[in-house]
Amino acid sequence: DKKGVEAVSDASEKGMTKVAVAVLKYYRRKDPITLQEAATEGFAAACEFGQTETARALLTFIKRKQRKHVCKSNILAAVVSDSPELVSSLLENMTDVDEDTIREALKRNNC
């Protein structure tokens, strides 16, 4: 549904997180394909316009196995939008960090 994708994208550009999430919740029940397309497009728009809160909220609607790719695809837009917090969030989602990795990092840093 093209209107749903546009609605999420437009809301994401403006940082209207609650509106974007409400539309995505509607599509979660009605049309999972549109849900993924709208979440991905909205996430890209949020990154382009430096909307950190919106990007984080929309990322939860993107399938887990696609999150790393989606973050990598939008990292440049986040950098250009001059939002360090958003860049940091994307980088966190691009890496696979488990408890063993955290323990190893702590050990290496004498913590």
Side-chain angles (χ1 to χ4, degrees):
D1 183 332
K2 195 167 176 78
K3 286 182 182 180
V5 174
E6 287 178 14
V8 172
S9 188
D10 289 346
S12 298
E13 283 179 18
K14 296 173 180 81
M16 299 169 65
T17 306
K18 289 181 181 180
V19 173
V21 167
V23 174
L24 291 175
K25 284 181 178 178
Y26 169 81
Y27 283 105
R28 179 184 279 163
R29 292 185 307 259
K30 301 288 182 186
D31 184 357
I33 294 171
T34 298
L35 168 68
Q36 289 304 302
E37 185 181 353
T40 303
E41 291 291 322
F43 181 79
C47 289
E48 185 178 345
F49 288 87
Q51 302 292 348
T52 304
E53 180 185 330
T54 304
R56 284 183 179 153
L58 298 187
L59 194 59
T60 64
F61 287 90
I62 296 172
K63 290 181 180 175
R64 200 173 297 274
K65 63 184 175 184
Q66 294 176 332
R67 287 182 190 168
K68 187 186 288 188
H69 171 73
V70 169
C71 287
K72 282 182 183 178
S73 299
N74 290 287
I75 192 79
L76 182 60
V79 169
V80 172
S81 76
D82 196 28
S83 177
E85 190 179 334
L86 179 56
V87 172
S88 176
S89 184
L90 294 184
L91 289 171
E92 287 173 16
N93 281 285
M94 287 168 50
T95 56
D96 295 322
V97 179
D98 57 13
E99 287 185 33
D100 292 335
T101 307
I102 293 169
R103 272 195 284 276
E104 182 64 28
L106 291 172
K107 191 165 79 177
R108 286 184 186 181
N109 289 296
N110 300 318
C111 295

